[in-house]
Amino acid sequence: MPKPFTPVPRTAAADPLPDDGEDFLEGPVQSQRTGSAVSPSTIACLVLSIAVSVYLSVSVVPRFQPRVHDDPNQFGASLARFERRLSKLESDAGVLTHHQQSIGLLQGEAEQRLKKLEVLLTEVQTAHRGGKADQSDTAWTDPDYASYEANGRVVGHSDLYPRRGDPWLLPSRDGDWFLFSLPYVQGIPSLVASAVKKAFPVHPKASVWLLSAPSNGIELPGHCLPLNGSTGYVDVKLRRAIRLKSFSVEHIPRVSAFNITTAPKDMALYSLRGDQDGFEPRKLASFSYDIESTPVQTFPVLQGGESADDLVVSQLRLQVNSNHGSESYTCLYRLKIYGDPE
């Protein structure tokens, strides 16, 4: 009789074949393992990147890193050069500071001179507008009959002062000749001095210094008739006979004068009448030049002498009785004479 069938339980070891569920799970696993394999192009890219990195680290990166001098002598030389350049910069800075200080001083001096010129211009303008109350309003419109350009001339003067270095002592300056000034030089024998004075009684520049108008309209220092000492006189022949009304004496402004003490102070004006045998002086006015006033000071002439005819003059003498302190010489810059023609 046949035996009954008994089922045997399965085990994993006993059953190598997967069931349907195992086949369902195994399929995806097999696919993933197959897709994760590295391709040759990926390997090539990896090798190339490693090569580029090595190149950059060896060739490029060191160029951007600070150089370190391994040689102490080379480092010391570089440091010495740096110190020399630093010293030169400090020296240049010191020179620049010195120049800046010099420029500042020059600028200050220029400003002071500019202010001085402004004061001088103001004084000259004030003088030519009439100045103080003693200025004559009509004097600036009346003709000057003593003007060198109008043929006024200096015909006599007291001893002049031969200042060393003056152009009129040089034989080659403006046609002057030293003999004209020779009689006034100290130490010249009296016989020689008197002989030269007789030959040249009037210095040829006297009329230009006292009676001419400066080209720029302003008297310059030194352009004067220098009388020796603190007193003296000068005789002037006018263009023609006039009835004297006023006269003016001009000096350079105090602000531009090298030595204001040479300016005249107490003076007198005389008329000279006579002939070749001699002149008789007649006093017409006494006056004082004020160095604190304007450069040009005009003085009226009042009735003088015994009659009105005393004011009819053709030749005058300006007498200087004192100056403002100089014992060496007195400077006369300009004399102007105003009046009505006879």
Side-chain angles (χ1 to χ4, degrees):
M1 154 177 209
K3 294 182 181 180
F5 176 78
T6 304
V8 179
R10 286 185 188 182
T11 62
D15 188 4
L17 297 177
D19 55 13
D20 294 338
E22 289 176 349
D23 289 339
F24 177 76
L25 292 174
E26 185 68 16
V29 173
Q30 289 289 341
S31 299
Q32 290 178 359
R33 288 178 181 177
T34 304
S36 61
V38 179
S39 63
S41 59
T42 302
I43 295 175
C45 291
L46 180 59
V47 172
L48 180 61
S49 61
I50 293 173
V52 171
S53 299
V54 172
Y55 174 77
L56 293 177
S57 62
V58 173
S59 302
V60 179
V61 174
R63 297 184 181 182
F64 297 94
Q65 293 179 347
R67 295 181 180 179
V68 178
H69 297 283
D70 296 332
D71 189 358
N73 295 329
Q74 187 176 3
F75 179 77
S78 300
L79 182 59
R81 287 195 299 271
F82 175 77
E83 290 178 350
R84 287 195 298 269
R85 295 179 62 183
L86 182 60
S87 299
K88 187 176 184 304
L89 290 175
E90 292 176 350
S91 176
D92 293 342
V95 172
L96 179 60
T97 302
H98 175 71
H99 288 335
Q100 288 177 343
Q101 293 175 353
S102 301
I103 292 173
L105 293 176
L106 292 176
Q107 183 177 2
E109 292 179 0
E111 291 177 354
Q112 291 179 357
R113 292 184 179 181
L114 180 60
K115 291 180 180 179
K116 188 175 181 180
L117 290 176
E118 289 176 351
V119 173
L120 173 60
L121 179 60
T122 302
E123 290 185 359
V124 173
Q125 290 176 344
T126 302
H128 285 271
R129 284 196 298 265
K132 290 189 174 182
D134 62 349
Q135 305 292 321
S136 172
D137 293 336
T138 60
W140 300 106
T141 58
D142 289 349
D144 172 22
Y145 284 91
S147 170
Y148 178 78
E149 289 75 13
N151 206 32
R153 292 294 184 268
V154 172
V155 293
H157 53 69
S158 58
D159 287 352
L160 301 182
Y161 178 71
R163 292 168 294 177
R164 180 175 297 179
D166 273 358
W168 50 279
L169 283 176
L170 302 178
S172 60
R173 178 69 180 266
D174 297 334
D176 288 344
W177 191 35
F178 75 97
L179 264 181
F180 296 145
S181 301
L182 185 61
Y184 313 116
V185 178
Q186 295 182 356
I188 297 297
S190 58
L191 183 62
V192 175
S194 60
V196 177
K197 283 183 181 180
K198 187 175 181 180
F200 307 103
V202 178
H203 194 284
K205 285 287 185 176
S207 298
V208 175
W209 290 331
L210 184 65
L211 306 177
S212 67
S215 58
N216 59 355
I218 301 176
E219 292 290 352
L220 299 177
H223 190 267
C224 69
L225 180 65
L227 302 180
N228 190 47
S230 59
T231 62
Y233 70 89
V234 57
D235 296 337
V236 177
K237 183 178 181 181
L238 306 181
R239 171 186 173 86
R240 57 170 300 174
I242 63 170
R243 184 171 296 275
L244 184 63
K245 294 193 304 183
S246 61
F247 61 96
S248 64
V249 175
E250 181 176 356
H251 198 270
I252 59 174
R254 179 169 186 161
V255 69
S256 61
F258 295 120
N259 184 6
I260 195 62
T261 63
T262 62
K265 186 178 180 181
D266 296 322
M267 291 180 280
L269 187 68
Y270 294 84
S271 65
L272 296 179
R273 294 189 178 185
D275 51 25
Q276 296 180 353
D277 296 333
F279 291 94
E280 178 186 357
R282 293 187 180 183
K283 190 175 183 178
L284 302 178
S286 297
F287 60 99
S288 294
Y289 184 89
D290 183 8
I291 58 174
E292 302 297 337
S293 183
T294 54
V296 181
Q297 298 177 25
T298 303
F299 307 91
V301 177
L302 304 178
Q303 181 65 44
E306 298 178 356
S307 66
D309 291 339
D310 290 339
L311 297 181
V312 178
V313 296
S314 61
Q315 194 162 317
L316 295 168
R317 169 172 290 184
L318 179 65
Q319 178 75 41
V320 178
N321 297 320
S322 66
N323 61 21
H324 283 271
S326 175
E327 298 181 357
S328 299
Y329 62 95
T330 301
C331 271
L332 296 178
Y333 276 88
R334 187 75 189 273
L335 174 66
K336 298 180 181 180
I337 305 297
Y338 308 103
D340 297 322
E342 282 290 310

